[in-house]
Amino acid sequence: YYLTVLVVSLFVLASARLGKSRLGRAWRFVREDEDAAEAMGIHTYKVKLLAYIFGAIWGGLGGVLFAAHLSAVSPQSFILLQSALVLMAVVLGGMGNMRGVVIGALVISLLPELLRDFASNRYLAFGLLLVIVMVFRPQGFWPARGYERERATVDVDPPAVATEQGR
């Protein structure tokens, strides 16, 4: 348990650091507008390839942790419902934000325990929660915010600028 918590914590920290790096900014630019990113000098092919590589590495390490948790892996270990719950954690928490995904994962992990009395309708409650969140808060519980800080506007009159005609 402690090893898993340590490894997941390191994954989250590395992901946060990677998202704020030059490569993370390139990923965001390519996601938003691939043509504009390429016009600004970003090699979109290399950036997409690195995204695929990092996703495969992190997915593989997550699979190692999952296999160690199960102690025996078989095709029956991977059911569609688990994949849907992982996707639901991302959607509920907020795509593009690590904190939101962690909160979504906690909700998805703890909700079955809270709905233990309604075992037959538990997944109906999950679906209903997903529909409610998508209707009322489509960006998720903790939406991603821009990395650029907005400048505070000040209600001060701008200084008078001398023009050539006004002299």
Side-chain angles (χ1 to χ4, degrees):
Y1 172 78
Y2 295 112
L3 177 66
T4 302
V5 169
L6 176 70
V7 170
V8 169
S9 299
L10 290 175
F11 280 177
V12 169
L13 180 66
S15 176
R17 300 269 319 216
L18 186 61
K20 293 179 182 178
S21 71
R22 186 175 186 179
L23 180 60
R25 287 192 310 269
W27 283 338
R28 278 196 309 277
F29 294 151
V30 169
R31 180 188 67 203
E32 295 299 325
D33 191 352
E34 186 175 344
D35 294 332
E38 194 163 0
M40 294 301 294
I42 296 173
H43 299 284
T44 56
Y45 177 77
K46 290 180 182 178
V47 169
K48 287 180 184 180
L49 188 61
L50 283 172
Y52 181 75
I53 290 169
F54 274 98
I57 289 170
W58 291 32
L61 291 174
V64 166
L65 289 176
F66 184 67
H69 174 70
L70 293 180
S71 70
V73 180
S74 68
Q76 290 78 20
S77 302
F78 305 98
I79 57 176
L80 179 65
L81 186 60
Q82 283 182 330
S83 298
L85 289 177
V86 169
L87 181 62
M88 189 174 172
V90 172
V91 170
L92 283 178
M95 293 176 36
N97 185 359
M98 186 61 61
R99 293 179 188 119
V101 173
V102 170
I103 289 173
L106 286 174
V107 167
I108 294 300
S109 299
L110 296 176
L111 205 56
E113 294 301 319
L114 297 173
L115 298 175
R116 185 179 290 200
D117 296 334
F118 306 105
S120 60
N121 296 325
R122 180 174 45 195
Y123 297 114
L124 178 67
F126 279 160
L128 186 62
L129 177 65
L130 184 62
V131 168
I132 289 171
V133 168
M134 292 306 291
V135 168
F136 293 108
R137 192 159 172 97
Q139 68 270 23
F141 290 143
W142 194 322
R145 63 183 176 111
Y147 287 90
E148 310 298 324
R149 294 188 187 270
E150 293 184 23
R151 294 182 185 167
T153 58
V154 180
D155 293 335
V156 177
D157 293 332
V161 177
T163 62
E164 289 184 29
Q165 295 173 352
R167 286 187 193 176

